Amino acid sequence: MTAESVHITSYRTYLWVLIALLFLTFVTITVTWIDLSALTVLVALVIASVKAYIVLTWFMHLKYESSLFRVLVIVVLAIYALVIGLTYFDYLLR
Amino acid sequence: MTAENIHHPEPSYLEYRGKYKGLLGWLTTTDHKRIGLMYMYAMMVFFIVGVILGELMRLELFRPGQQFYGPQVYNGLFTLHGIIMIFTVVIPGLAAVFGNFAMPIMIGAKDVAFPRLNLFSWYLFILGAAIALSSQFMGDGPPDTGWTFYAPYSVTTHTNVIAAVLGAFVLGFSSILTGLNFIVTIHRLRAPGMTFFKMPLFPWAVYATAWIQVLATPIVGITLLMIIAERTLRIGFFDPNLGGDPVLYQHLFWIYSHPAVYIMILPAMGVVTEIIPTFSQRRVFGYKAIALSSMAIAFVGYFVWAHHMFTSGMSSTARWIFSLLTFLVAVPSAIKVFNWVTTMYKGSIDVKPPFLYSLGFIFLFMIGGLTGLSLGSLATNIHVHDTAYVVAHFHYIVFGGVGFAFFAALHYWYPKMYGRMYNFKLANIAFVFLFAGFNLLYFPQFIIGLMGMPRRYFDYLPQFTFGMQLSFYGGILLAIGLVLMLYNLFQKNGAKAPANPWGGSTLEWTIPSPPPVENFDVMPEMGPDEEPYDYK
């Protein structure tokens, strides 16, 4: 309903996104050489989440959209977190 | 605005000829109204097949012992009945048919946001259905797992599970794309001035449904792929012999399949919310409460799935948490029912067929909903789990609720769809047959279920014979009602329908019946003082 605001992201920003993603991929591979025992999955998930955050924010333009879209994404993520949390809850207490 | 739109020189969407004419014109259309009708025709074919399969089961159950076919054929029958009715009829259901036909008009749009994607969804729907049905004729015999494909049996059975599962997977994609389309349509294409809280309540219900379609369907998609991976590659997800956990399958399956019940029922509630005020000749009571309760049902509905698994060996703490959450979801549902009843209170009620079917919906949905609470309660659940009581409960929701609301919507928007009226008397007679037949078919199942009759058995003890035979006769009455209803609607020789035959107050009644291709001659606008139901 509102007037469209067109935002053109500069190549420089995309380059930084690329560098950040490549660096985090490098980190993901590197940490597999270190034995983190119980924390292995957690560390992998944290790095993946940071990568997803970068993609959503800059590459998918969430940074430049109205806050409504950010709210929608957060609600969706919260629902998934709750669904997965409730499932694990069953396993934890069994 | 009304007068300008009614005297419309353009051809209606039924007469319009684009690049192709005839059947090809329909198969290549991107018109939301035609796509809605195409969903309806396809679903009616599937529905009739599903009904025939149901009647065949009732025939086998007429007497104890084997009558016509053995357990394996019976297992195949209820599996196929479930797959067809759930995945190809009630899940696309009202959202695909009336969400497509009526929703864009009700929000003042010319079409959905992505018309080609909309047509693609229909083709995926047909493809998915074809793959699912092909499982009957290919491989090592029809699947016998039930529509839930519970592991580890679905991983070890030799029947053709993969085709059925793949079909359900493709059907899920159709559902996701339709949901996505509707969310974008409602966000971007509302008439100028129509804010969310000035939108009619059927689009609200479609909006809530669309979110569930987009968010929940991928989970079942992945789960079904995991079954295929386990069957073909022997990866141990669910089979304990391979190191998997069968309860995990149930979790993943119901994380989608319980919200899927709300994919079915929310648009049904939306339709009833439009019909009841129209025929009570009153403004809907509690507009905001109904709109927000749709969202609340969609949200809370995500977190109740494990009430399908109380006897599966889940942790007892998880069990009571899911039981509590299940009771919570009854609250927004009850809010809707109270608002419908209050809307009728002191209204000038005009009992026409759509209203009659809506009353049928409320009555049957209430029985289905309240028996759902006794199933959501831990102690009673243990007693009636996997009995005919559950069969009766979900048929009261899915057929008594969704089915009757579908019939109500069909009788409500039929004049708008085809520009013709139908025979009211015949529609009322069909309703009596349907309503009486439905209750005679499913109510005895509550009783024999409480007495201990398990579901999915082709044979039973003699004490259940009377209940089973009542159900058989109910099935016959129901089939007669369906034939009468379809005969009445397929004639298409009734009087010419005016633009607004029922005195409806939403935008679709301001344009001719049937609507022109692009719906509106002059784009509707809502002023700051206008209310959602001001278009009379």
Side-chain angles (χ1 to χ4, degrees):
Chain A
M1 299 307 105
T2 50
E4 300 275 330
S5 58
V6 181
H7 185 273
I8 297 170
T9 314
S10 66
Y11 282 117
R12 182 190 291 269
T13 312
Y14 281 142
L15 189 67
W16 279 115
V17 170
L18 179 67
I19 290 169
L21 292 176
L22 286 174
F23 173 73
L24 286 168
T25 309
F26 175 75
V27 175
T28 313
I29 296 165
T30 314
V31 291
T32 56
W33 300 102
I34 308 163
D35 183 16
L36 296 166
S37 62
L39 292 174
T40 313
V41 175
L42 185 72
V43 169
L45 281 177
V46 167
I47 298 172
S49 305
V50 174
K51 285 165 81 176
Y53 175 80
I54 292 170
V55 171
L56 282 169
T57 312
W58 282 282
F59 190 71
M60 297 181 83
H61 282 214
L62 217 53
K63 188 175 161 64
Y64 316 109
E65 290 288 349
S66 77
S67 54
L68 174 70
F69 292 99
R70 242 168 292 171
V71 171
L72 290 180
V73 171
I74 290 168
V75 169
V76 168
L77 289 178
I79 288 174
Y80 273 122
L82 273 167
V83 164
I84 292 168
L86 277 169
T87 309
Y88 275 96
F89 195 67
D90 166 33
Y91 284 88
L92 205 65
L93 297 172
R94 216 183 272 172
Chain B
M1 188 188 71
T2 311
E4 285 168 83
N5 274 324
I6 284 177
H7 302 292
H8 207 289
E10 276 189 25
S12 80
Y13 79 103
L14 293 172
E15 297 157 347
Y16 172 76
R17 277 193 185 168
K19 198 172 169 189
Y20 304 103
K21 58 182 181 180
L23 186 64
L24 205 57
W26 280 78
L27 292 174
T28 55
T29 187
T30 52
D31 185 330
H32 67 99
K33 301 179 286 296
R34 283 191 171 198
I35 293 172
L37 291 196
M38 279 155 64
Y39 269 111
M40 186 169 79
Y41 297 141
M43 277 165 48
M44 273 189 180
V45 172
F46 297 137
F47 177 68
I48 290 167
V49 174
V51 168
I52 291 170
L53 292 168
E55 300 285 358
L56 287 176
M57 281 189 272
R58 293 259 68 92
L59 203 60
E60 169 60 41
L61 293 171
F62 190 73
R63 282 204 194 97
Q66 182 173 335
Q67 310 300 314
F68 303 98
Y69 10 84
Q72 188 62 26
V73 174
Y74 187 81
N75 290 354
L77 279 179
F78 72 66
T79 302
L80 188 61
H81 171 80
I83 292 173
I84 288 181
M85 287 303 207
I86 297 284
F87 290 113
T88 69
V89 180
V90 284
I91 287 185
L94 283 105
V97 177
F98 301 105
N100 257 315
F101 182 85
M103 183 274 286
I105 314 181
M106 292 174 93
I107 62 169
K110 284 183 177 178
D111 207 315
V112 291
F114 307 116
R116 288 184 179 183
L117 190 67
N118 202 14
L119 182 63
F120 181 61
S121 303
W122 185 80
Y123 276 102
L124 278 184
F125 168 65
I126 297 296
L127 178 71
I131 295 173
L133 293 181
S134 75
S135 66
Q136 299 299 307
F137 312 107
M138 300 194 308
D140 300 327
D144 57 351
T145 57
W147 75 276
T148 52
F149 306 114
Y150 265 16
Y153 183 64
S154 60
V155 177
T156 53
T157 174
H158 294 295
T159 56
N160 194 4
V161 170
I162 289 185
V165 163
L166 197 65
F169 179 76
V170 175
L171 285 164
F173 260 95
S174 164
S175 188
I176 295 170
L177 295 180
T178 302
L180 186 71
N181 218 337
F182 287 171
I183 291 174
V184 180
T185 305
I186 288 171
H187 270 278
R188 310 298 286 180
L189 299 185
R190 277 171 289 126
M194 185 185 275
T195 57
F196 262 90
F197 283 104
K198 284 188 177 180
M199 194 165 70
L201 289 159
F202 178 66
W204 259 109
V206 170
Y207 181 68
T209 310
W211 272 110
I212 311 177
Q213 286 176 310
V214 170
L215 295 187
T217 319
I219 297 177
V220 79
I222 292 296
T223 312
L224 296 176
L225 286 187
M226 284 161 92
I227 286 198
I228 295 178
E230 187 155 331
R231 276 182 75 94
T232 52
L233 307 172
R234 312 296 294 158
I235 301 172
F237 294 118
F238 309 123
D239 187 350
N241 291 330
L242 300 170
D245 176 17
V247 179
L248 178 66
Y249 175 81
Q250 297 192 19
H251 271 300
L252 291 173
F253 181 80
W254 289 112
I255 286 172
Y256 163 73
S257 296
H258 193 78
V261 178
Y262 300 107
I263 294 179
M264 304 165 198
I265 201 77
L266 276 170
M269 291 167 155
V271 164
V272 169
T273 311
E274 297 296 335
I275 293 174
I276 287 189
T278 304
F279 292 90
S280 305
Q281 305 185 47
R282 280 197 65 195
R283 198 171 276 268
V284 64
F285 183 86
Y287 170 89
K288 269 196 181 171
I290 294 183
L292 294 176
S293 65
S294 292
M295 297 307 283
I297 290 176
F299 183 75
V300 183
Y302 276 112
F303 308 115
V304 300
W305 75 85
H307 63 215
H308 294 267
M309 314 159 41
F310 284 155
T311 57
S312 70
M314 257 194 331
S315 86
S316 56
T317 318
R319 265 183 273 180
W320 72 254
I321 288 174
F322 279 107
S323 179
L324 177 76
L325 288 166
T326 302
F327 277 83
L328 283 184
V329 87
V331 175
S333 309
I335 287 176
K336 282 186 192 288
V337 174
F338 288 130
N339 279 306
W340 295 327
V341 175
T342 318
T343 304
M344 285 186 260
Y345 179 66
K346 286 193 175 172
S348 176
I349 292 176
D350 183 14
V351 187
K352 293 254 168 57
F355 184 78
L356 211 52
Y357 282 95
S358 298
L359 285 187
F361 165 88
I362 298 181
F363 184 83
L364 301 174
F365 174 72
M366 287 304 293
I367 295 180
L370 292 171
T371 51
L373 288 181
S374 60
L375 283 165
S377 159
L378 287 175
T380 42
N381 181 279
I382 307 274
H383 180 69
V384 289
H385 184 88
D386 261 351
T387 64
Y389 187 89
V390 178
V391 176
H393 156 71
F394 72 74
H395 278 94
Y396 265 84
I397 294 285
V398 174
F399 193 172
V402 184
F404 274 71
F406 191 97
F407 301 153
L410 189 55
H411 285 86
Y412 184 56
W413 280 312
Y414 182 90
K416 188 56 65 185
M417 286 173 153
Y418 296 106
R420 295 276 168 195
M421 300 304 285
Y422 48 83
N423 184 337
F424 286 179
K425 198 174 168 189
L426 196 52
N428 291 342
I429 293 172
F431 172 78
V432 172
F433 271 97
L434 283 169
F435 189 77
F438 178 88
N439 283 297
L440 189 60
L441 169 51
Y442 293 112
F443 204 83
Q445 300 289 318
F446 278 125
I447 296 162
I448 61 172
L450 280 173
M451 287 159 68
M453 173 68 209
R455 66 190 285 206
R456 294 175 168 164
Y457 275 41
F458 87 110
D459 191 8
Y460 53 85
L461 296 171
Q463 62 261 40
F464 304 124
T465 311
F466 182 61
M468 287 293 193
Q469 293 187 346
L470 283 182
S471 288
F472 175 82
Y473 295 121
I476 302 285
L477 284 184
L478 190 69
I480 294 171
L482 284 173
V483 170
L484 282 178
M485 186 188 78
L486 292 177
Y487 168 76
N488 188 20
L489 296 178
F490 267 97
Q491 287 192 0
K492 292 188 199 163
N493 58 0
K496 205 171 173 330
N500 189 359
W502 317 119
S505 55
T506 36
L507 277 170
E508 78 271 31
W509 305 113
T510 65
I511 59 173
S513 307
V517 178
E518 294 199 319
N519 302 339
F520 300 96
D521 225 7
V522 179
M523 281 313 285
E525 266 184 54
M526 278 183 95
D529 302 327
E530 278 183 284
E531 300 277 333
Y533 290 95
D534 269 352
Y535 297 99
K536 229 170 190 174

